[in-house]
Amino acid sequence: MSRRPLRAARPARLPARSPARFALGAVLPAVPLLLALLGPAVAGLPGPRGASFTAGGEHPLGTDFAGQDVWRQLLLGGRSVVVIALAATVAAYVIALPLAFAAALTHRAWLEELLMRPLDVLLAVPSLLMVLLVATVFAPGAAGLALLVALLNVPDAARLMRAAAAEAAARPAVEALRLQGESWWRIAIGYVARSCLRTLAADAGVRMTGVLYLVATAAFLGVGVDPDAANWAVMVDRNRTGLFIQPWAVVVPALLIVALSMGTNLLGDTALAGRSTPARRPGGGPGTGARSGAASSPRTTKGPAR
C-alpha cells in the first residue's frame, strides 16, 4: 500500500477588506457626526411655533409635540448625545489601558490585586443605577455625565484588555525582549500594546454602542441635559405619543443614533478584516513569510510500495 504525499496545511483565508463596506461604514457615522458638530452653527434662529405633530408646509420634517421645527431640533440635539458618548468612550480607555497593561506586565501579585479588585466592586453595580444615585445627589451636567459614564465603563474595559495583554505578555517574544534588556515601556507599548490592537478595535465598537445606550437612557431620565434642551434621545422619548401621526419626529433621531452605532462597528469590522488578510506572495498562495521547503513542497517516501 503506497503512502500519499504529505502536504502542509494552508492557513484559512479570511475575508478581504471590501471598499463598498468600508465606504458604508464611513458614511453611516459621518452623517450623525456632521449634524452633531456643525448643526448648531447652521440651525439659525427659531421660527414661530406651529401646531403639534404637523407635516409639510414650512417645516420639511414637520413639527414635534411642542410645535417646534423637527429639522432645527435635529441640528441642535446631536451634540449633547454624540459628544458625550465619544468623550466618555475615549476617557474610559484612557483610564483603563494603563491599568490593564500595568496589571498584565507586573510580576508582583499584590500589585495586580490592588489594581484589579477595586474594579470588580464597581463592576458589580448596575450602570444605570449608579447614574440615578449620582443624579439624586447633584446634577452632573454634560461633562459630569461623560466622566461618570467613562468611570462605569472602566472595569469592563480594563478586565478585557488585561486578558488580551496577559496573553501577549506570556509569549516567548516578551521574554526575549526582557533578556535583551529592553525597557518596560518599550515592551508594553512596542509589543504588547500592538498585539492588543485587534481586541481594542473590536471592543471599541461594542463599547461605543453601550455608551450611546447609557447616555440616551440618562437623557430620557433628564440626567446630564437641561429639561428644555434639544436632544436626539429626548426627542424620541417626548414625541413617541405622536409616532403614528407625525413619525419623523421619532424615526429620524432614532435612525441617527442607530447609524452612529452601526457605522462605528462596521468600520471596526472592516479594519479588522483588512489587518487579518494574509499577504499574497508573487508566486503562490497566501502566506505571512517565507516558508521552508519541507512545508511548501510535498514530501514523498522513497522505496518500494508496501
Side-chain angles (χ1 to χ4, degrees), residues 109 157 163 213 276:
Y213 167 78
S276 58

Side-chain angles (χ1 to χ4, degrees), residues 82 85-86 89 203-213 260-261 264:
V82 175
L86 289 175
T89 305
D203 180 64
V206 179
R207 193 160 306 282
M208 182 66 184
T209 302
V211 169
L212 273 172
Y213 167 78
L260 181 61
S261 174
T264 304

Side-chain angles (χ1 to χ4, degrees), residues 39-279:
V42 299
L45 298 176
R49 296 194 179 188
S52 300
F53 298 126
T54 60
E58 299 179 355
H59 310 287
L61 297 178
T63 59
D64 60 3
F65 75 103
Q68 303 176 98
D69 183 44
V70 172
W71 174 244
R72 185 175 184 275
Q73 294 297 107
L74 288 173
L75 293 176
L76 296 174
R79 183 173 295 181
S80 56
V81 175
V82 175
V83 174
I84 291 177
L86 289 175
T89 305
V90 173
Y93 285 118
V94 168
I95 301 173
L97 290 180
L99 294 176
F101 289 149
L105 294 173
T106 184
H107 294 286
R108 299 175 177 86
W110 64 268
L111 180 58
E112 183 178 357
E113 295 291 324
L114 181 64
L115 292 174
M116 302 305 298
R117 294 294 77 82
L119 299 181
D120 294 341
V121 177
L122 187 59
L123 188 63
V125 181
S127 300
L128 185 57
L129 178 60
M130 180 63 71
V131 171
L132 294 177
L133 289 176
V134 173
T136 57
V137 178
F138 64 93
L145 179 61
L147 181 59
L148 178 60
V149 173
L151 292 176
L152 293 175
N153 279 271
V154 165
D156 189 28
R159 288 176 62 87
L160 179 66
M161 297 309 301
R162 176 197 167 275
E167 187 275 331
R171 297 173 185 172
V174 174
E175 187 63 27
L177 290 175
R178 288 197 181 102
L179 294 177
Q180 291 176 4
E182 299 290 348
S183 65
W184 185 92
W185 288 103
R186 183 173 178 81
I187 296 175
I189 305 300
Y191 182 82
V192 176
R194 291 179 59 186
S195 301
C196 297
L197 286 179
R198 289 173 51 81
T199 304
L200 178 62
D203 180 64
V206 179
R207 193 160 306 282
M208 182 66 184
T209 302
V211 169
L212 273 172
Y213 167 78
L214 187 56
V215 171
T217 306
F220 285 155
L221 303 175
V223 179
V225 296
D226 297 331
D228 56 345
N231 185 283
W232 290 347
V234 176
M235 288 178 66
V236 175
D237 179 52
R238 292 180 179 176
N239 296 313
R240 68 182 186 275
T241 57
L243 176 61
F244 298 102
I245 304 173
Q246 212 290 81
W248 300 119
V250 177
V251 173
V252 177
L255 286 178
L256 289 173
I257 296 176
V258 171
L260 181 61
S261 174
M262 289 182 59
T264 304
N265 284 278
L266 191 57
L267 274 179
D269 292 344
T270 307
L272 290 178
R275 286 179 57 87
S276 58
T277 303

